[in-house]
Amino acid sequence: MAIDSGSGLANATIQQRLVPVRLFYDYLMEEGLRESNPVGRGRYTPGRRRGGHQRGLVPRMTKLPWIPTEQQWRDILGVAAEEPIRNRVMLALAYDAALRREELCSLCTDDLDPAHRTLRVRAETTKNRLERVVPYSAPTGVLLSGYLAHRATISRARGPLFLSESRRNHAQPLSLWTWSKVIRRIALAAGIPRFATHTTRHLCLTDLARMGWELHAIATFAGHRSTESTLAYINLSGRDLAEKLTKGMEQIHSWRIDMLARLGGQATGAASR
């Protein structure tokens, strides 16, 4: 079975599950029960043959994040339009502010600044413990205003922004798993099963790269500690490739364009005769 066949475990999952196996064999080596570790680390070792590269047990694959096409995004929004206002504003904020699932579900009423249309992502809710302040759009602000009025009918207490409306957990903070189920339901209804809670973050950061945002600006917006994570979205956007292609067409292949233009003119002339 090929690792990228779509069946079985993902490459990243396999790599994670190999870690305890590798550590177990490290322990056996320390105890003198084995002379070598059969689970390679895939590291560079100077002096080894073939360039000093030691292959891991399973090749490590790095894939670009999946994002929906324009039509798929419209299909998602079409289904989401029928959702309750809480789910609609959560989806809008998840895209607008490129929020991770935990960051979104952990938002509190005190994190909002409607006057400046910004929200604070607290350090304790982020993946790398970096606090940041991010903006959201005017349409999302309108949705948020409507939701705050609706939330007041559930609870007027300050605290978690998004509350459960079920009988079992009424007025309790919305859990991560509930939000995942909401997105899963929307994805299946739209016929796009690959759409997940993290997809909106991928799409937002890719759109920022498409708009020409600089690498460090995108990294700050996303809350990335290293720009290496941000580079994936720059590559996915194709921004640099598009710019190079445009320059190349202008400088190297301009004569081809001229010839095509003449060909088009000749075809028009022939048709008129």
Side-chain angles (χ1 to χ4, degrees):
M1 181 183 297
I3 291 179
D4 58 350
S5 64
S7 302
L9 299 177
N11 181 260
T13 304
I14 296 175
Q15 298 289 349
Q16 289 178 346
R17 295 191 178 183
L18 283 176
V19 171
V21 181
R22 184 183 300 119
L23 294 176
F24 173 69
Y25 278 104
D26 282 344
Y27 164 76
L28 295 181
M29 291 175 62
E30 290 178 0
E31 295 295 317
L33 300 177
R34 283 192 63 92
E35 294 182 355
S36 62
N37 190 333
V39 187
R41 281 178 163 76
R43 60 191 177 190
Y44 179 82
T45 306
R48 290 178 61 90
R49 292 185 299 175
R50 297 183 180 179
H53 182 70
Q54 178 186 358
R55 294 188 59 184
L57 185 64
V58 176
R60 186 177 297 275
M61 299 182 181
T62 303
K63 296 184 178 180
L64 292 175
W66 176 84
I67 60 172
T69 64
E70 294 300 321
Q71 184 56 52
Q72 288 174 330
W73 179 239
R74 292 191 186 97
D75 293 340
I76 290 290
L77 295 183
V79 174
E82 305 300 323
E83 290 287 314
I85 189 170
R86 183 202 66 193
N87 297 346
R88 283 184 281 145
V89 73
M90 289 183 72
L91 183 63
L93 279 176
Y95 170 77
D96 259 3
L99 297 178
R100 301 180 179 94
R101 181 182 63 166
E102 185 174 358
E103 295 170 350
L104 176 66
C105 295
S106 300
L107 285 176
C108 291
T109 53
D110 292 339
D111 295 331
L112 301 176
D113 184 358
H116 298 92
R117 289 208 309 271
T118 59
L119 56 89
R120 179 172 63 102
V121 184
R122 287 170 284 118
E124 60 269 24
T125 69
T126 64
K127 184 178 180 180
N128 49 20
R129 300 300 181 257
L130 288 177
E131 184 171 308
R132 66 186 191 277
V133 176
V134 290
Y136 55 86
S137 66
T140 299
V142 174
L143 271 176
L144 183 58
S145 177
Y147 171 70
L148 290 176
H150 173 71
R151 183 187 181 281
T153 65
I154 304 172
S155 173
R156 292 185 176 274
R158 290 173 175 258
L161 177 61
F162 299 113
L163 304 177
S164 172
E165 300 180 33
S166 67
R167 294 181 180 179
R168 184 177 180 180
N169 300 308
H170 190 74
Q172 295 299 309
L174 192 73
S175 70
L176 304 178
W177 315 117
T178 299
W179 176 236
S180 294
K181 290 179 181 178
V182 169
I183 290 298
R184 183 61 178 170
R185 185 181 68 245
I186 293 174
L188 293 178
I192 310 169
R194 294 189 68 181
F195 189 85
T197 55
H198 215 62
T199 305
T200 48
R201 177 174 168 86
H202 291 325
L203 182 59
C204 175
L205 298 182
T206 303
D207 285 343
L208 295 181
R210 287 169 173 167
M211 289 187 291
W213 278 41
E214 295 300 325
L215 177 63
H216 289 283
I218 299 176
T220 301
F221 186 88
H224 288 156
R225 188 179 295 274
S226 170
T227 55
E228 291 183 3
S229 301
T230 315
L231 280 173
Y233 303 99
I234 300 292
N235 294 334
L236 185 59
S237 72
R239 186 187 71 187
D240 294 337
L241 292 178
E243 291 177 356
K244 290 179 180 178
L245 178 62
T246 301
K247 293 179 180 178
M249 291 296 288
E250 291 176 354
Q251 299 175 5
I252 302 175
H253 301 299
S254 59
W255 67 272
R256 293 187 186 272
I257 299 176
D258 292 338
M259 292 296 292
L260 287 174
R262 294 176 186 176
L263 184 62
Q266 292 174 0
T268 303
S272 62
R273 291 197 295 270

